[in-house]
Amino acid sequence: MTLRDRLAPALAGLSAACFLSLGGVALASETPVPAIAASAAFAEAKAHLAKDFDRTVADIITLTEIPAPPFQEAERAKAYLAMLEAHGLTQTTTDAEGNVMGLRRGAGPAGGPLVVVSAHLDTVFPADTDVTVRREGTRLMAPGIGDDTRSLATLLAFIRAMDAAGLVTEQDILFLGTVGEEGQGDLRGVRHFFTEGPYRDRVSAFFSFDGSDPTRVVTGAVGSKRYRTFFRGPGGHSYGAFGLVNPMAAMARATAKLYEIELPPSPRTTYSASVTGGGVSVNSIPAEVYTEYDMRSESPEALARLEAQLLAIFQDSVAAENAARSTAQGPITVEPLVIGDRPAGSTDPDSDLVRSVVAAIEAAGYSASLSASSTDSNIPMSLGVPAITMGAGGSGGRAHALDEWIDVEPVENVRGMGVGLLAILAVAGVR
């Protein structure tokens, strides 16, 4: 008996349209979520998530204890690729950027549209960080365990649950572990996937699982532009060369001017001067100093305007310092280097993807919340590909801290995991 046959009783009682309430707004929905949620096949899949949960926890621990610092994800990627292969996926591979992936074939024609289900391999922690997992009751603690290692293990649990229930999807599903999501990784993995990867023109929908909360749906991509800006000058002795131009003065003026910019409350746009350094000694005028600047916005246009303002401030501040002090040994110069460029974008809340995800959340008895963030979904959103980011289930906290934790109490975890699985099935279609 096909899943379509098993869904027939639920489909027969389903109205032509149901309505979802989100933020006080009623959204018309014609998703297959209610029928799938009521089916025996989905009940079997969810039961397998529960029965198999100890294995999921074991996978979390195994992967967490393989360090995956920025730009050094290869060992974890190798282990994850082996896991994908062991789960029977086809076309398993590591691409040129280090992403690993495997295909679960659907019933549709080979080479047709596919749904991508992803999580990121990298963490923010340096290579010498102790990533040994500690357990206190149902709480597991280790750097990177929630962001984003739990999601990697959850993807494997999805595959096992679908296989156990005999679920066949209409579209192929590509399971993807990306590199370079964090910090200066600058989304390099997912960027490569969508610009040079062999599947880039086949993606009908993109799921990124990141963090825990299954009710928070990222539909807005917060774009960012980051600069490491060098200010340089002739330098000299702090007493003997006093009166010469000082690059630190130009840098300080630029930073102060940035913080005089007033921004409107909407679209939300921010800036920060975050890291600084340079110079050689307390009794020397520095020859080189730098500051790293971060700018973010939900709006590409607002981000571009802010970037233009900052670049103009750099030039004005250098000119002001060169006019204020002697340039006899040389002027102050500035070199802004881009160290991060994440595009902004969004997925329409009324798209089939978002409606299906929200319906899956509500089917589990949760209330959905749409939000904006900076995740792997930035890249597909900026390209017009329907994409969302959501949590893998359960709870956690202290992300990016050494005492990061997740709770693996099984009942609530399986409930949250079921949301993601149900949404994937609704979007990929079931046969």
Side-chain angles (χ1 to χ4, degrees), residues 137-224:
T138 59
R139 182 172 287 199
L140 303 182
M141 290 159 285
I145 195 165
D147 186 11
D148 189 28
T149 315
R150 177 187 4 216
S151 297
L152 292 167
T154 299
L155 267 55
L156 300 176
F158 289 162
I159 300 168
R160 295 194 296 270
M162 286 190 285
D163 288 349
L167 284 159
V168 178
T169 56
E170 297 285 355
Q171 295 186 49
D172 294 351
I173 301 176
L174 184 76
F175 288 88
L176 172 68
T178 64
V179 296
E181 192 275 344
E182 298 285 8
Q184 291 187 25
D186 204 32
L187 308 181
R188 64 187 177 89
V190 71
R191 193 187 305 269
H192 176 87
F193 179 86
F194 275 100
T195 57
E196 300 181 47
Y199 296 103
R200 63 186 182 275
D201 296 325
R202 293 179 54 190
V203 182
S204 64
F206 180 89
F207 287 83
S208 172
F209 285 87
D210 199 342
S212 299
D213 186 358
T215 72
R216 179 172 175 259
V217 186
V218 175
T219 58
V222 176
S224 63

Side-chain angles (χ1 to χ4, degrees), residues 35 60 66 79 102 115 122 152 197 200 208 235 239 251 266 288 328 339:
I60 295 170
I66 303 173
V115 174
D122 58 318
L152 292 167
R200 63 186 182 275
S208 172
Y239 185 81
M251 183 176 72
S266 181
E288 179 181 279
I339 60 171

Side-chain angles (χ1 to χ4, degrees), residues 40-50 157 160-162 164-165 167 421 425:
F42 182 71
E44 187 176 347
K46 193 169 179 183
H48 193 270
L49 290 177
R160 295 194 296 270
M162 286 190 285
L167 284 159
L421 180 57
L425 293 172

Side-chain angles (χ1 to χ4, degrees), residues 233 237 260 350:
H237 195 281
E260 292 177 7
D350 197 40

Side-chain angles (χ1 to χ4, degrees), residues 86-108:
H87 283 66
L89 301 187
T90 63
Q91 300 180 42
T92 52
T93 188
T94 302
D95 70 16
E97 196 63 40
N99 302 310
V100 296
M101 64 199 77
L103 193 70
R104 188 178 191 271
R105 282 283 287 125

